Amino acid sequence: MQTGARIGFILLFAPLLLWLGLLIVIPHIDLFLLSLRERIGVGEYRTSLANYIAFFGEPLYLVTFMRTAIMSVLATVLTLIIGFPVAFYIAKFAKGRAQSVLFLLCLVPFWVSELVRTFGWMILLRETGIFSELLQWSGLVDGPVEMLYNDAAMMVGLVYTSMLFMIVPLITTLESLDDSVIEAGYDLGGTGPSVLREIVIPHAMPGIVSGSIVVFMLSLGNYLTPTMLGGKDSLWFTEMIYAQFIVRFNWELGAAFGFMLLILSSLIVWAMLRLTGQTLEKTMG
Amino acid sequence: MTLPDLECLSLSKTFGGFTAVEDVSFAVPPSSFFSILGPSGCGKTTIMRMIAGFLDPTSGDIRIKGRSILQTPPNKRPVNMVFQHLALFPMMNVADNIGYGLRRKGVPRPEIDRRVGEVLERISLPDAGRRRVDELSGGQKQRIAIARCIVLEPDVLLLDEPLGALDLKLREHMKIELKALQAAFGTTFVYITHDQSEALVMSDQIAVMNHGKFEQVASAAELYYRPATSFVAGFVGDNNRWRGTLTRAEGDELQLTTDAGLVMTGAQHGRGLRPGDKAEIFVRPEAIRIARAAADIKGFDNRLSGKVTSTLFNGAASRVLLRPDGSHDEIQVALPQSGEFADLGRGDDVHVGWNAAQANVFPANDEAG
């Protein structure tokens, strides 16, 4: 009986262990060992920190690294600022059918692949695109305007891509806020901004933090959007990793870059949790 | 004459085609406990939300100490509300909850601490300031919710069925405590409830509401003994209720033959009923005297004898159901707890009697109470 239960437990646990082991733990150990390897000749390697030294010694790598982090934080903040009113409206003002329809509208863009969605933005923003044509037709500009391949276009793409992942946790936490608590805030003398600051935002904090973590991770690890909308000069760190692995075939340096990105995202998420006084258990429910 | 703390003048509210509140007028004198009692959906919450400012009346006026507040937004009205589920702020501790309104008024920090301390003292929770809201018991939350409003010294405190979520024992206790708090602070309370015992125990004045209108505004005793309409008679307290036709009217005294053939007398208290009118008669179970011998009830205007069909034991509120001879109506009679009827059983012969003045007669109304 006891052994039977043990076997059942092991069988149930096996898929999770396989998943964690094969896809997360083993590749990361391998990457870590790879990143500590230095090639000194054809087929000759030795253990050293050379790859990390190369990372810290080359300003381009460092600049791209910091730029990626800052832009990802900015994309997260923008997504939060745009997503919060939308989520608040869906959770508190929309009723019944309207609520489900609005929620569905947020979901619809995710029915097509990210590639197609990004192409959508290219159609709108390119030199011969809809916005450019519209501006020329209305006489506001004389010639075609190129709106693609800059940081603003990339930011638009990043915010758009991750919006849903911000809105869903926000709606969930805002829906759990009793309307009468908001009314009590007004009844006791609160104004719109003070009710938002003292009641709504503290209540929504777990949703804000979990949404922000997801959006930040998605932006940091995004490859497609910076490449397509940011163009050649977009300088996103994932592009550097890709270049090391695929273009330069320097797996050792690529692995070091990957590890730096992992450390960076862990640090920023940790800082974000500390700053807002939230714990991972609380935000991930 | 002092101005009433709260005055509603011909207040009406319609939602689309539905009239929730229709031409309601009342005045609440300072430092009194005023209740609005009615079944769910009668429009009492709508009145309360209009006073608090969350709804705009379709017509009519609301005045606080003589000044109209219709143009004042909810956060500026000298009115505060205790919500049905209390709506304490879960993200703040007790002291911050109570101090919230004072902070919004821009009261300096030391002054806030002093006043919060004072009010905590008065609700007998002096050390609760640093505790979290979810650590409190139901009764404590209740007191915090009231303290949070009272600390702002509102002209009128609105209470929206705040005892509904409590269990019976605590509810009984909180009734007495609420009344004591109201007396201690001297604030005018406007209390809405569907529970008649809450209204009867606590209020100075009670308005009974049905279908958006006030049926009667009176003291608890008056509602109980002299209901103005058949709805009030049916809603407040328990009643035996018969329908019938008036056969005789002499001054205040009426004679009525019920549809089942019983003849009884009652009082009309100036309602202008005439012989031949369809009418309803209400007699309270506790106004009926029960006896084993016919001689014991010979002083009463109405006398019936019958057989016990069942006894309903409920402690102090025990009843006995009996069927008068030659009729299939049933009468509920309160059972005295002095012990002499302790052995009363099914099928026993008993005699009952009551005075005409204790029986209220109203024009027949097809509407069920």
Side-chain angles (χ1 to χ4, degrees):
Chain A
M1 193 61 216
Q2 271 248 308
T3 42
R6 270 186 79 88
I7 290 169
F9 178 75
I10 290 168
L11 279 177
L12 281 172
F13 221 67
L16 180 70
L17 280 177
L18 283 176
W19 166 274
L20 284 174
L22 290 180
L23 295 175
I24 296 170
V25 179
I26 294 175
H28 272 90
I29 292 172
D30 197 41
L31 268 182
F32 182 65
L33 295 176
L34 205 57
S35 76
L36 290 177
R37 214 163 64 160
E38 187 193 0
R39 186 159 64 179
I40 46 171
V42 179
E44 269 184 90
Y45 299 97
R46 69 165 181 209
T47 303
S48 82
L49 286 172
N51 295 311
Y52 292 95
I53 292 164
F55 170 79
F56 284 106
E58 171 58 58
L60 178 67
Y61 297 157
L62 272 178
V63 166
T64 309
F65 187 65
M66 288 324 289
R67 204 181 99 91
T68 307
I70 291 166
M71 294 279 276
S72 295
V73 171
L74 189 64
T76 307
V77 171
L78 282 175
T79 313
L80 177 63
I81 290 171
I82 297 169
F84 195 88
V86 176
F88 193 79
Y89 185 86
I90 294 176
K92 286 291 158 213
F93 292 104
K95 296 270 173 278
R97 256 187 89 80
Q99 192 171 23
S100 357
V101 168
L102 284 172
F103 195 75
L104 202 69
L105 281 178
C106 291
L107 199 72
V108 162
F110 288 79
W111 286 358
V112 295
S113 83
E114 196 182 346
L115 190 70
V116 177
R117 261 181 288 146
T118 313
F119 269 126
W121 278 107
M122 295 181 81
I123 290 169
L124 288 176
L125 295 177
R126 68 181 175 192
E127 235 175 325
T128 51
I130 291 173
F131 285 166
S132 177
E133 298 278 338
L134 211 66
L135 285 173
Q136 292 177 69
W137 173 80
S138 68
L140 285 170
V141 290
D142 298 327
V145 194
E146 176 63 276
M147 282 180 262
L148 273 179
Y149 312 126
N150 55 47
D151 286 353
M154 196 171 77
M155 197 51 82
V156 165
L158 285 176
V159 168
Y160 174 74
T161 310
S162 34
M163 189 55 80
L164 183 75
F165 301 98
M166 182 63 87
I167 285 182
V168 170
L170 281 179
I171 289 178
T172 315
T173 48
L174 286 173
E175 263 184 338
S176 71
L177 179 64
D178 193 350
D179 286 355
S180 67
V181 173
I182 298 175
E183 280 178 352
Y186 281 109
D187 185 66
L188 294 165
T191 54
S194 80
V195 168
L196 187 71
R197 196 180 66 243
E198 289 204 48
I199 296 164
V200 179
I201 290 181
H203 180 89
M205 214 36 163
I208 292 174
V209 173
S210 67
S212 297
I213 289 175
V214 173
V215 170
F216 174 74
M217 301 272 204
L218 282 177
S219 300
L220 200 65
N222 202 325
Y223 176 76
L224 198 65
T225 310
T227 311
M228 289 176 70
L229 296 179
K232 280 198 171 2
D233 304 326
S234 62
L235 291 178
W236 207 250
F237 201 63
T238 47
E239 289 170 355
M240 297 240 151
I241 298 176
Y242 178 86
Q244 293 305 329
F245 272 100
I246 309 294
V247 182
R248 294 190 51 200
F249 216 67
N250 188 348
W251 280 44
E252 289 75 23
L253 193 58
F257 282 6
F259 252 84
M260 288 314 296
L261 195 62
L262 180 68
I263 291 167
L264 177 74
S265 67
S266 308
L267 264 178
I268 292 184
V269 168
W270 175 79
M272 199 141 68
L273 288 171
R274 280 300 296 267
L275 208 67
T276 52
Q278 301 285 320
T279 60
L280 208 56
E281 295 85 53
K282 225 160 100 186
T283 50
M284 295 302 168
Chain B
M1 188 197 138
T2 52
L3 278 170
D5 263 1
L6 170 70
E7 209 178 355
C8 289
L9 300 167
S10 311
L11 204 58
S12 295
K13 177 72 188 176
T14 52
F15 297 103
F18 172 72
T19 306
V21 175
E22 191 178 349
D23 195 26
V24 164
S25 298
F26 63 96
V28 182
S31 303
S32 63
F33 199 122
F34 185 88
S35 292
I36 300 175
L37 171 66
S40 27
C42 73
K44 53 191 193 301
T45 302
T46 308
I47 292 188
M48 183 134 299
R49 294 179 65 81
M50 285 193 283
I51 299 171
F54 298 125
L55 283 175
D56 288 323
T58 309
S59 65
D61 197 6
I62 301 168
R63 291 180 190 164
I64 302 254
K65 292 202 190 295
R67 292 236 303 275
S68 173
I69 54 163
L70 287 190
Q71 301 310 317
T72 316
N75 54 0
K76 298 276 192 294
R77 293 191 184 192
V79 170
N80 292 117
M81 183 155 167
V82 176
F83 288 81
Q84 191 163 9
H85 301 292
L86 306 180
L88 293 174
F89 304 132
M91 61 295 284
M92 303 179 197
N93 67 19
V94 168
D96 286 343
N97 257 284
I98 298 177
Y100 175 85
L102 295 172
R103 288 202 299 282
R104 296 274 63 80
K105 275 186 173 177
V107 176
R109 193 75 222 185
E111 165 95 4
I112 294 178
D113 292 343
R114 188 179 60 75
R115 282 168 70 176
V116 169
E118 264 174 28
V119 80
L120 279 172
E121 199 83 37
R122 293 186 76 170
I123 57 167
S124 342
L125 290 170
D127 304 317
R130 302 185 65 88
R131 295 177 64 184
R132 291 167 48 86
V133 167
D134 48 21
E135 292 168 5
L136 303 173
S137 72
Q140 287 170 334
K141 280 185 192 162
Q142 196 84 51
R143 282 185 271 170
I144 301 298
I146 292 166
R148 184 174 73 172
C149 295
I150 289 223
V151 77
L152 298 173
E153 293 163 358
D155 289 330
V156 176
L157 181 65
L158 305 171
L159 299 103
D160 182 3
E161 307 207 30
L163 304 187
L166 303 181
D167 62 62
L168 182 69
K169 263 274 184 276
L170 190 56
R171 199 154 65 220
E172 292 301 317
H173 175 73
M174 284 307 297
K175 276 184 209 167
I176 300 163
E177 197 163 304
L178 265 180
K179 181 74 186 155
L181 277 175
Q182 191 263 334
F185 287 102
T187 308
T188 302
F189 276 33
V190 174
Y191 188 95
I192 71 169
T193 180
H194 63 268
D195 181 310
Q196 47 165 306
S197 107
E198 285 175 19
L200 293 176
V201 168
M202 294 188 282
S203 319
D204 297 314
Q205 289 266 297
I206 302 169
V208 180
M209 195 171 181
N210 188 31
H211 291 310
K213 289 187 202 156
F214 277 4
E215 296 265 341
Q216 185 175 11
V217 184
S219 69
E222 217 178 315
L223 284 182
Y224 185 79
Y225 292 114
R226 291 279 171 275
T229 64
S230 60
F231 176 79
V232 178
F235 192 72
V236 179
D238 287 321
N239 256 318
N240 288 296
R241 176 182 196 161
W242 293 280
R243 293 169 68 93
T245 314
L246 289 177
T247 41
R248 195 157 54 80
E250 270 171 32
D252 199 39
E253 199 168 296
L254 301 167
Q255 192 185 61
L256 174 133
T257 308
T258 68
D259 294 343
L262 288 172
V263 177
M264 46 185 77
T265 56
Q268 67 165 324
H269 299 299
R271 277 182 280 268
L273 288 157
R274 282 195 304 277
D277 286 354
K278 285 279 181 199
E280 278 182 308
I281 185 163
F282 291 85
V283 186
R284 297 208 179 273
E286 51 273 35
I288 301 174
R289 172 73 181 276
I290 184 167
R292 289 186 190 276
D296 291 345
I297 56 160
K298 65 175 187 292
F300 291 98
D301 301 327
N302 294 289
R303 291 182 297 274
L304 292 170
S305 49
K307 281 194 196 318
V308 172
T309 52
S310 63
T311 52
L312 311 169
F313 183 79
N314 183 18
S318 296
R319 300 279 164 78
V320 56
L321 287 181
L322 58 95
R323 177 167 298 147
D325 298 330
S327 159
H328 55 263
D329 274 329
E330 260 187 349
I331 307 180
Q332 268 197 54
V333 180
L335 209 53
Q337 292 300 301
S338 49
E340 52 186 312
F341 296 101
D343 59 341
L344 205 61
R346 191 184 161 96
D348 289 356
D349 286 307
V350 286
H351 302 272
V352 293
W354 66 91
N355 275 323
Q358 301 279 10
N360 281 292
V361 184
F362 298 96
N365 188 342
D366 285 329
E367 188 187 352

